[in-house]
Amino acid sequence: MKFAKYLSSETVPEWRAKYLDYRGLKKYLKRISGDPTIEDALYQHSVDVFTRPSIAHWSNRYDGLSTDVMHLNSGEAETILGQLLEHATRPELDFFDKLDREFNKTVDFYASSLVQVGLTGG
Amino acid sequence: VNEGVAMQQYDKLKKQLRIHDSRRRGSDDFSITTNSESVLAQIPMTFIRTVTQTKPIAFDNRAAYKRLRKAFMEFYRGLLMLQNYKVLNRTGFAKILKKFDKTAKWKASELYLRKVDLSTLATSTTLDDIKGAVEETFIAHFGDGDRRKALAWLRIPESIRIVSPAALGRFGLTMGIALPLLWESLIHAFQDLPKNSALMQVYAALLIPILLLLLFCLNVYLWHIYRINYKFIFELDPRNHLTYSEFLEVPGWLFALYSLFTYLTFVHPFLEPSIYPAVFCSLVVIALVCPFKVLYHSARLWFLRTLGRIVSSGYHMVQFRDFFIADELSSLVYFIVTIQFMFCSYAHHWDTQGTCDYQHSWLTPTLGMLPALWRLLQCIRRYFENHLVFPHLVNGVKYLLTIITIWMAAVSKITGSDVAFGCWIVFLTLSTLHAYAWDILMDWGLLEKGSSNLLLRSELTYPPWFYYFAVVSNFVLRITWIINMSPNQYGLWLDFRVVAFTLAILEVYRRFQWNLIRMENEHINNCGMFRATKQIPLPYGVDTDEKEVDAGMVSRMTYDSDDE
């Protein structure tokens, strides 16, 4: 089964708005792949074409060394990701904006639910 | 640990929960405690913290035991949902990031997922701890000493989610039996019309509740498809209820039985034909009240209990199911009134010419007003609960108008008075307009201010065209009484019995449409509050004034240590 379908069939209906918006995120991905060419997009959004390979460079570094990633704390992971995103295209940045929003939404809801059922905080 | 300690800890628990034995008359009065949500949400937690012994607690009454057990089960269900929430979102982030890597051709997934995995969403072990603690406590105090049984009570059975193909097959089978039989019966019935007309009228009436049930199944199916949580709204047991496919069997078998009896009556009467409707009704009633654990016993019990609550409206706190099912009943007025005709016919040995003219009987308005009366009593009861003139009394006026209209109709028909006829028209118009406005504004929540959908509301579950269609068709169906009122001098309208039957079918359809949006509106309200677990009222009064917790509280575990 497609994950989007699985997700919507498994959600608690009343909380639907609080799950990550998988379908919405996929639309943002479409915009990334929908760019005529990455190079064109880079040009349009005035990102330096020649720094682009550095994304590949950085990410490849972590690609082969996933144990390294496992040792990062969340601040470090975020910093590195931030550095990479300096070279990202507009649609890519939009995707991560959206992803951050979805991430904060879910974390907030989860944390507040824990408080509500009296598990933490209260 | 001896009995004394057990009692001591139980008393302590009651103190912790700020509850005191103040049993009131009638179990529903306990629901007053639902207002103190913060207290109730923590019942299982307080219980776990307070009761440290593992020897089963000696509850001082059975109701306390049952309610607390229910609170535990509901709390545990909430934990399962949270856990499921956590897992689904984690999986979602992983999946979408993998897709990103593929699309953008560089690898961000591991870095981002690292961030996800270090957030509360993934690290918090609280949930698992609590789940374990709830399980252990539940097994110790509510499991009747049987670990496996206790765990089975807590967990949500997988079968509750699965559509039963066997049940669907049986529904197909019943329909396959029913339709040819009914067709054959109809042909025979119409061949000998004047003689059969009384019996046909009875069968016409009996068909209405079956149709309503069938359409109600379609309601349930559509709610299921559109993920509207009717089970929660009806407060069905999350661990034990019919799936829509099982529910479909009920009207299926009823319809098959019904068709068989029409066949026996009109085609092959081995006995006196008039005996069959009575046999059919008896069979249905017997099946409904059968005390044995067959034929969906717990579902039947739920239904009977709801009927009981409706008939004794005013004595209970009004739950959603009470007024929803009462609303269904108000679409069965034709059936209720015609059943009276059936009894009358039996009393007069089916020598019915003129003797059983229910159109001109005082019994008709008396019976016909019952559903509206029950709804009126429910509205009054709700007004006394929270003293809100709007909506409860305004809604009550709607039913009062309905009742007056029903009586005016009877007075007008029986006395032939023109004044009464005029009053009837006036009240009918008022009642129709009131009811229609209530449908649109309150029951369906449409015409919302500042809605992004023209004249509807911002949150819509079904396709928008359906709402527009429903708004218009509901109006047309609400004023079908015009057909009944219209002068008949050109013989344009058929026999009044045929008209009445047609109107009854239209009313059943209107109810189906109303149900769809009424339930959806309720669901959207729940979604607005992210309310997915219910508060279990306790068999005690809860002191909400004091919020301090005893200093000497015994704590078996500390639960706030999950943050790094």
Side-chain angles (χ1 to χ4, degrees):
Chain A
M1 206 195 318
K2 289 260 190 182
F3 182 75
K5 227 177 171 180
Y6 176 75
L7 183 71
S8 75
S9 74
E10 290 294 309
T11 47
V12 175
E14 287 81 0
W15 298 348
R16 204 185 55 201
K18 292 293 178 185
Y19 285 80
L20 92 158
D21 176 15
Y22 190 78
R23 286 207 166 94
L25 282 163
K26 266 174 80 173
K27 277 188 196 138
Y28 280 82
L29 283 184
K30 271 230 172 81
R31 265 180 243 165
I32 296 177
S33 63
D35 268 5
T37 64
I38 286 280
E39 276 73 21
D40 270 7
L42 290 175
Y43 183 74
Q44 276 169 22
H45 301 293
S46 68
V47 177
D48 186 355
V49 180
F50 299 103
T51 58
R52 176 79 185 172
S54 70
I55 285 192
H57 171 74
W58 272 96
S59 56
N60 279 336
R61 226 185 97 194
Y62 287 98
D63 191 16
L65 303 166
S66 54
T67 43
D68 275 4
V69 177
M70 296 309 285
H71 286 124
L72 297 174
N73 67 31
S74 98
E76 289 164 349
E78 212 161 346
T79 315
I80 297 175
L81 193 62
Q83 285 166 354
L84 293 178
L85 288 178
E86 279 170 25
H87 309 293
T89 62
R90 189 74 247 161
E92 284 171 351
L93 287 174
D94 288 346
F95 171 81
F96 277 99
D97 275 351
K98 169 82 173 162
L99 195 64
D100 278 340
R101 262 178 284 148
E102 296 303 306
F103 175 67
N104 292 333
K105 182 180 79 181
T106 49
V107 170
D108 287 350
F109 182 73
Y110 184 69
S112 73
S113 301
L114 286 184
V115 174
Q116 215 174 6
V117 293
L119 297 192
T120 50
Chain B
V1 186
N2 59 31
E3 193 94 325
V5 178
M7 282 306 289
Q8 215 181 332
Q9 293 217 338
Y10 183 45
D11 287 340
K12 193 168 189 169
L13 172 72
K14 286 199 272 184
K15 220 168 152 194
Q16 288 288 343
L17 290 172
R18 304 255 158 242
I19 52 188
H20 46 82
D21 291 288
S22 63
R23 291 213 57 172
R24 280 158 226 238
R25 174 181 48 85
S27 62
D28 281 290
D29 286 334
F30 300 144
S31 309
I32 47 164
T33 57
T34 46
N35 295 331
S36 47
E37 284 192 24
S38 58
V39 180
L40 287 167
Q42 292 177 17
I43 287 171
M45 293 307 300
T46 316
F47 191 103
I48 291 171
R49 287 185 185 132
T50 312
V51 183
T52 51
Q53 45 142 356
T54 49
K55 191 148 198 264
I57 255 186
F59 290 98
D60 52 5
N61 67 50
R62 191 75 190 157
Y65 168 79
K66 276 192 167 168
R67 293 270 167 116
L68 280 171
R69 187 179 72 186
K70 218 171 163 189
F72 261 89
M73 286 163 74
E74 187 66 3
F75 182 67
Y76 189 81
R77 192 172 73 89
L79 294 181
L80 289 180
M81 288 194 303
L82 261 184
Q83 193 178 42
N84 165 288
Y85 175 84
K86 183 171 118 167
V87 172
L88 268 182
N89 279 311
R90 166 66 174 76
T91 317
F93 282 117
K95 293 250 179 205
I96 201 72
L97 281 162
K98 280 265 156 60
K99 273 198 192 316
F100 173 85
D101 286 358
K102 245 192 203 162
T103 315
K105 302 198 175 59
W106 61 276
K107 207 154 184 162
S109 60
E110 280 173 15
L111 284 168
Y112 203 96
L113 271 184
R114 184 71 189 142
K115 182 174 143 188
V116 174
D117 284 342
L118 290 173
S119 70
T120 11
L121 198 61
T123 55
S124 132
T125 47
T126 330
L127 200 57
D128 299 321
D129 290 350
I130 292 290
K131 248 184 81 192
V134 169
E135 280 171 9
E136 289 313 313
T137 310
F138 191 84
I139 291 163
H141 301 287
F142 301 95
D144 297 344
D146 187 338
R147 191 184 178 86
R148 267 181 52 198
K149 205 169 85 184
L151 283 178
W153 267 342
L154 279 180
R155 286 180 183 146
I156 313 276
E158 206 42 40
S159 60
I160 214 83
R161 297 149 46 95
I162 294 166
V163 172
S164 152
L168 281 179
R170 284 194 292 270
F171 174 71
L173 184 74
T174 51
M175 282 303 181
I177 296 170
L179 290 172
L181 282 177
L182 190 63
W183 182 245
E184 190 69 14
S185 321
L186 276 176
I187 291 172
H188 278 80
F190 274 107
Q191 277 169 358
D192 204 355
L193 199 49
K195 197 185 114 223
N196 284 336
S197 68
L199 274 170
M200 282 174 75
Q201 201 177 346
V202 169
Y203 274 111
L206 292 174
L207 185 63
I208 296 297
I210 298 176
L211 272 182
L212 185 82
L213 254 180
L214 204 59
L215 284 177
F216 195 84
C217 284
L218 190 56
N219 276 147
V220 172
Y221 174 70
L222 289 168
W223 293 329
H224 169 85
I225 292 288
Y226 282 98
R227 310 224 5 96
I228 290 165
N229 202 348
Y230 66 94
K231 300 168 187 174
F232 177 67
I233 294 169
F234 272 135
E235 300 188 36
L236 301 179
D237 183 349
R239 293 165 180 83
N240 179 24
H241 56 254
L242 300 188
T243 62
Y244 74 84
S245 55
E246 290 167 328
F247 185 37
L248 199 51
E249 280 194 274
V250 178
W253 285 111
L254 276 177
F255 193 50
L257 196 66
Y258 170 88
S259 305
L260 181 66
F261 272 85
T262 55
Y263 188 81
L264 287 174
T265 310
F266 298 116
V267 186
H268 275 297
F270 298 107
L271 305 162
E272 179 61 31
S274 61
I275 210 155
Y276 288 112
V279 177
F280 173 72
C281 292
S282 316
L283 281 178
V284 172
V285 172
I286 289 169
L288 189 61
V289 300
C290 169
F292 304 110
K293 296 213 167 182
V294 291
L295 306 169
Y296 299 142
H297 181 256
S298 58
R300 286 190 287 121
L301 220 58
W302 184 90
F303 181 66
L304 287 175
R305 212 172 272 153
T306 308
L307 281 188
R309 292 176 63 93
I310 292 171
V311 170
S312 56
S313 282
Y315 287 100
H316 314 278
M317 281 278 288
V318 182
Q319 296 173 359
F320 183 88
R321 61 164 163 168
D322 298 337
F323 66 77
F324 201 85
I325 303 295
D327 278 328
E328 305 306 298
L329 293 184
S330 64
S331 289
L332 291 179
V333 168
Y334 169 81
F335 163 74
I336 296 171
V337 168
T338 316
I339 283 302
Q340 163 212 345
F341 169 80
M342 182 176 101
F343 280 111
C344 173
S345 301
Y346 275 111
H348 294 89
H349 310 286
W350 296 85
D351 176 19
T352 54
Q353 289 309 327
T355 45
C356 290
D357 179 6
Y358 68 87
Q359 289 265 324
H360 296 92
S361 151
W362 290 111
L363 204 55
T364 300
T366 316
L367 290 171
M369 73 164 180
L370 281 178
L373 184 66
W374 291 326
R375 284 296 288 118
L376 177 62
L377 290 172
Q378 288 173 351
C379 290
I380 294 174
R381 168 74 198 219
R382 292 181 91 183
Y383 171 71
F384 277 109
E385 300 292 342
N386 54 22
H387 303 285
L388 292 174
V389 174
F390 188 85
H392 302 317
L393 284 192
V394 182
N395 197 12
V397 168
K398 183 176 90 187
Y399 296 106
L400 191 62
L401 284 173
T402 309
I403 293 171
I404 296 174
T405 310
I406 289 172
W407 280 99
M408 283 298 162
V411 172
S412 151
K413 274 180 185 155
I414 294 170
T415 65
S417 137
D418 282 343
V419 182
F421 185 75
C423 288
W424 178 22
I425 302 272
V426 170
F427 277 105
L428 191 48
T429 311
L430 284 178
S431 139
T432 305
L433 291 177
H434 189 327
Y436 181 71
W438 198 268
D439 283 347
I440 303 295
L441 294 171
M442 302 301 297
D443 289 338
W444 294 356
L446 301 180
L447 290 179
E448 191 185 68
K449 264 186 212 150
S451 148
S452 53
N453 296 293
L454 182 68
L455 302 177
L456 305 178
R457 54 175 137 80
S458 299
E459 285 286 327
L460 297 177
T461 310
Y462 309 118
W465 64 262
F466 175 69
Y467 296 88
Y468 294 115
F469 173 74
V471 165
V472 175
S473 60
N474 191 53
F475 185 74
V476 174
L477 292 167
R478 277 247 182 231
I479 57 162
T480 45
W481 49 263
I482 291 210
I483 299 176
N484 250 344
M485 293 287 162
S486 311
N488 198 15
Q489 63 237 50
Y490 306 110
L492 202 57
W493 314 115
L494 304 155
D495 190 319
F496 78 90
R497 288 168 295 191
V498 178
V499 174
F501 177 63
T502 314
L503 291 187
I505 287 184
L506 289 177
E507 171 63 15
V508 166
Y509 169 76
R510 191 188 69 77
R511 182 56 63 187
F512 158 75
Q513 196 172 273
W514 183 88
N515 287 347
L516 271 184
I517 307 183
R518 177 69 187 85
M519 184 67 82
E520 183 241 9
N521 190 33
E522 189 74 13
H523 177 73
I524 287 196
N525 288 339
N526 282 347
C527 289
M529 290 176 271
F530 310 111
R531 187 171 54 200
T533 49
K534 66 177 170 188
Q535 299 294 341
I536 308 292
L538 274 180
Y540 313 100
V542 172
D543 238 340
T544 45
D545 303 336
E546 280 181 86
K547 288 213 168 118
E548 295 294 310
V549 178
D550 278 5
M553 191 175 108
V554 186
S555 173
R556 192 165 74 179
M557 298 171 76
T558 47
Y559 297 107
D560 21 17
S561 60
D562 66 310
D563 295 322
E564 299 163 308

